[in-house]
Structure formats: structure tokens, C-alpha cells
Amino acid sequence: MLNQVIKTAEEAGQKILEFYETDVEVITKEDDSPLTKADLAAHHIIVNALKEIDPETPVISEESGIPDYEERRSWESFWLVDPLDGTKEFIKKNGEFTVNIALIKGDKPVLGVVYVPAFDVMYYGDETIGSYKREGDNKAVKLETETFQRSEPARIVVSRSHGDDSTQKKLSELGIEVSEEVPSGSSIKFCLVAEGKADLYPRLGPTMEWDTAAADAVYRYSGKNGEKYSPLSYNKETFKNPYFLLGMDEFVDVK
């Protein structure tokens, strides 16, 4: 099934690139976030494919809305999709946007695929085989990294679209010294921590479950010594994530 999901992400990514080469027409959604034809085209490709791959399992996509909690609270598993994460990066044409597909069981992702179509980079994580990164036609490389130790200075991932000075200040209050900021867009930020190019991803702003699920799986299963701790959980009554600090082996309150 993983290979089928990877293929689906690639197909959606190639469709997105068709729009990427043209003038991007932007619609503003009710929450003021941007929406393009590329988001919708990728959404339809992924949802239709998942219904064929796994017809018994419900699918939630950012572009399809969230079923009532009373309906989904009893679900054992469901697919969680962000067809185009980083729409702002897509509009800016900097390449840092992703296709995200995750399988949630209980309250955690057990499989996640993150595809970066502009660079033809594929990340995927699975609870049974671990996490991998594949660049172009090269062989996939296993990701095996350790969690951050508070005694060391930290390289932190910061958002290209949402960055500000408050993050470093908050980490300093928590006793964490920042040695470097690594700017990135979309769910790639999780993947940079998973592969060891950054130590921490502090998020002091709003995200939704579909923004994080696939990349969270890549992070969780990139552990050198087993599954890594993640502060995030899924299928909550509200789909909003709390503020979080990813990369530690314990919960750290960053409110």
C-alpha cells in the first residue's frame, strides 16, 4: 500500500507542477487562506486514488471539510490529506510546497508521505519500516537520527512565511540556546528535523492536523533508537493543533 500512496503523491505533484508553470489564480477561502486550482486538482487525484486503494477507510482532505466529531470519534483509522501544503510558497514560486498523505490509526499517524514536486524529493515514514528520503531516481536513504539534547545549542527550523523574533525569545526562556535558524516552507520543516539538518521545529502559531500528519510520521519513524516522541495527536474534537516544539524526547509547553 505504501508504494501506491507514494505513486499517488507523485501524480498529484506532477499535476500541481502543470499549474506552477503558469500564472497562478488565487481564491481566498473563508479563513483568509489562499486556494488555487492546483490545490483542487491535487485533492481530486488523491481522494479518488485512496478510494481505490483502500475503499473501506474514510478520507479527510483540507479541501473536503471535516466531518462532525460525533461521526469520526469511533473511526479506527482514516486518511488525512493536505493536497498542497505551502500554498503561499507555491504562489511565491520558491518550490517549498508539498503533497501530504497520512494514514491515522487511533490518534497517531502510522504512515506518511511527503512529496516536494518542484525538487522531486520524496519523504516517507511507516511504523513498520522506518523513514526514508528519496531524491529523483536515486535510491531511498533511511533516516536515522537522535532527538535533541537540551544541553547543546539548537539549529531551529523557522517558517519563511510566518517567522518572527518571538521564537528565539521563547526558547531562551526555556533554557534552549539557538545556534542557527534554518528557513523552510510547508511540511518540509518536519522533514529537516527528521533527517538531521535541524534540531528543533518550534511552532508558535496555528496549524491544522492535515498540515502536520504526514510529515509527523516521517519524523516519528526516523529515530535511531526506535520511535521518536511527538507532541501532536490526531482526530481531536477540534482539528487545530496546539503550539508545539518538535525534536525533544518530552513534552515542552511553548504556549
Side-chain angles (χ1 to χ4, degrees):
M1 186 165 66
L2 174 60
N3 288 335
Q4 292 172 290
V5 177
I6 288 172
K7 183 181 176 184
T8 299
E10 289 174 327
E11 289 175 0
Q14 293 311 306
K15 176 57 71 173
I16 288 169
L17 289 181
E18 292 178 17
F19 292 94
Y20 190 57
E21 303 302 329
T22 65
D23 290 334
V24 179
E25 182 182 342
V26 182
I27 303 162
T28 302
K29 295 194 286 189
E30 288 183 8
D31 63 357
D32 289 332
S33 62
L35 175 70
T36 70
K37 289 181 180 178
D39 294 79
L40 296 173
H43 160 80
H44 289 301
I45 288 172
I46 296 167
V47 171
N48 291 337
L50 291 176
K51 286 179 179 176
E52 288 191 16
I53 295 167
D54 186 15
E56 301 302 316
T57 304
V59 180
I60 296 178
S61 165
E62 178 179 7
E63 308 311 336
S64 63
I66 307 167
D68 289 340
Y69 184 60
E70 289 304 312
E71 176 186 346
R72 56 185 170 82
R73 66 188 302 178
S74 60
W75 290 357
E76 293 182 3
S77 61
F78 67 100
W79 292 98
L80 186 52
V81 175
D82 190 342
L84 201 174
D85 183 43
T87 303
K88 290 180 181 178
E89 315 307 334
F90 176 80
I91 294 166
K92 292 175 185 174
K93 294 186 181 291
N94 68 15
E96 292 185 342
F97 53 89
T98 58
V99 177
N100 299 308
I101 307 174
L103 178 62
I104 308 296
K105 284 191 178 178
D107 65 353
K108 76 174 188 176
V110 295
L111 178 157
V113 171
V114 176
Y115 183 48
V116 193
F119 305 128
D120 195 16
V121 173
M122 179 71 71
Y123 295 94
Y124 55 93
D126 180 287
E127 65 175 352
T128 58
I129 64 169
S131 293
Y132 291 80
K133 178 185 181 182
R134 192 197 73 210
E135 299 182 81
D137 295 327
N138 295 325
K139 184 179 178 181
V141 176
K142 197 168 200 290
L143 304 180
E144 291 184 297
T145 52
E146 296 179 351
T147 50
F148 173 72
Q149 299 302 313
R150 195 186 285 259
S151 59
E152 299 292 325
R155 298 164 298 161
I156 65 168
V157 188
V158 294
S159 173
R160 288 200 192 276
S161 297
H162 307 283
D164 59 47
D165 296 333
S166 64
T167 301
Q168 282 213 32
K169 181 181 178 184
K170 184 65 182 180
L171 291 178
S172 177
E173 292 171 1
L174 295 168
I176 297 171
E177 177 188 348
V178 175
S179 62
E180 181 185 352
E181 289 190 349
V182 182
S184 181
S186 71
S187 58
I188 297 171
K189 296 186 282 291
F190 279 78
C191 299
L192 293 177
V193 180
E195 64 179 311
K197 289 185 176 178
D199 301 306
L200 299 174
Y201 172 27
R203 180 66 188 211
L204 308 184
T207 55
M208 299 293 285
E209 290 187 12
W210 48 61
D211 294 319
T212 61
D216 189 14
V218 174
Y219 172 75
R220 286 175 190 247
Y221 306 120
S222 67
K224 197 171 186 178
N225 304 303
E227 182 179 335
K228 290 178 177 174
Y229 168 77
S230 170
L232 296 170
S233 63
Y234 297 85
N235 204 20
K236 302 184 295 295
E237 187 167 356
T238 168
F239 250 48
K240 293 179 181 177
N241 291 322
Y243 292 1
F244 61 84
L245 179 60
L246 190 88
M248 305 285 284
D249 60 4
E250 60 181 328
F251 174 78
V252 177
D253 188 353
V254 291
K255 282 184 182 176

